[in-house]
């Protein structure tokens, strides 16, 4: 059996870094209000992993968090302000694709888009599958 792939990434200043062993779960984009406000972008690109597979490796160790809902907290670097993702109460960590060292990896390509109605009608999200 093949060994699970390891992905890595982190924040702008490299104070918060992570390594995560795949498989990547539910890679998707989202245009809900919370994602828009969290990222400052009209659409966020996410991928999920079981919390137990995520290791925070940078000198800052774990990211700072802001409790954003009843079930989740948004993760960010307190030094540079980079948003990293969401740490759910369920055993899931959702990481933003822009934080990955290799965001074009085929396993991270989004397979769907959530909350299309949350985007302005002039904004078109197109995901091309490889």
């Amino acid at each position: 059996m093949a060994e699970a792939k390891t992905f890595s990434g982190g924040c702008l200043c490299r104070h918060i870094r992570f390594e995560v062993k795949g498989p990547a779960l539910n890679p998707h984009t989202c245009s809900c209000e919370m994602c828009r406000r969290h990222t400052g972008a009209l659409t966020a690109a996410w991928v999920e992993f079981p919390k137990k597979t995520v290791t925070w490796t940078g000198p800052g160790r774990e990211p700072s968090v802001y409790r954003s809902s009843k079930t989740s907290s948004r993760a960010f670097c307190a030094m540079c302000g980079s948003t990293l993702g969401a740490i759910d109460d369920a055993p899931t960590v959702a990481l933003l694709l822009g934080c990955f060292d290799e965001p074009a990896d085929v396993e991270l390509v989004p397979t769907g888009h959530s909350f299309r109605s949350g985007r302005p009608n002039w904004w078109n999200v197109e995901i091309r599958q490889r």
Side-chain angles (χ1 to χ4, degrees), residues 14 27 55 117:
R14 303 183 66 80
T55 304
S117 63

Side-chain angles (χ1 to χ4, degrees), residues 36-127:
R36 290 191 331 264
R37 293 189 182 276
H38 174 60
T39 64
L42 294 175
T43 300
W46 298 91
V47 64
E48 299 172 0
F49 294 93
K51 193 180 293 188
K52 67 183 178 185
T53 67
V54 179
T55 304
W56 300 104
T57 61
R61 306 306 290 165
E62 293 190 13
S64 295
V65 294
Y66 169 74
R67 188 70 175 178
S68 57
S69 72
K70 291 181 181 179
T71 60
S72 185
S73 296
R74 301 297 166 139
F76 63 95
C77 175
M79 287 189 67
C80 68
S82 294
T83 183
L84 297 161
I87 300 174
D88 296 342
D89 291 348
T92 302
V93 173
L95 297 168
L96 289 160
L97 294 185
C99 299
F100 283 79
D101 294 337
E102 301 291 334
D105 188 291
V106 68
E107 292 182 44
L108 302 177
V109 174
T111 58
H113 184 78
S114 302
F115 296 95
R116 286 183 187 276
S117 63
R119 62 178 172 77
N121 58 7
W122 55 263
W123 179 247
N124 184 33
V125 176
E126 180 184 333
I127 301 167

Side-chain angles (χ1 to χ4, degrees), residues 4-41:
K5 186 169 194 164
T6 299
F7 300 93
S8 62
C11 69
L12 182 63
C13 73
R14 303 183 66 80
H15 186 66
I16 305 294
R17 297 281 303 158
F18 63 81
E19 285 188 355
V20 59
K21 287 206 180 239
L25 306 172
N26 192 26
H28 67 284
T29 56
C30 184
S31 294
C32 76
E33 181 180 7
M34 191 175 301
C35 287
R36 290 191 331 264
R37 293 189 182 276
H38 174 60
T39 64

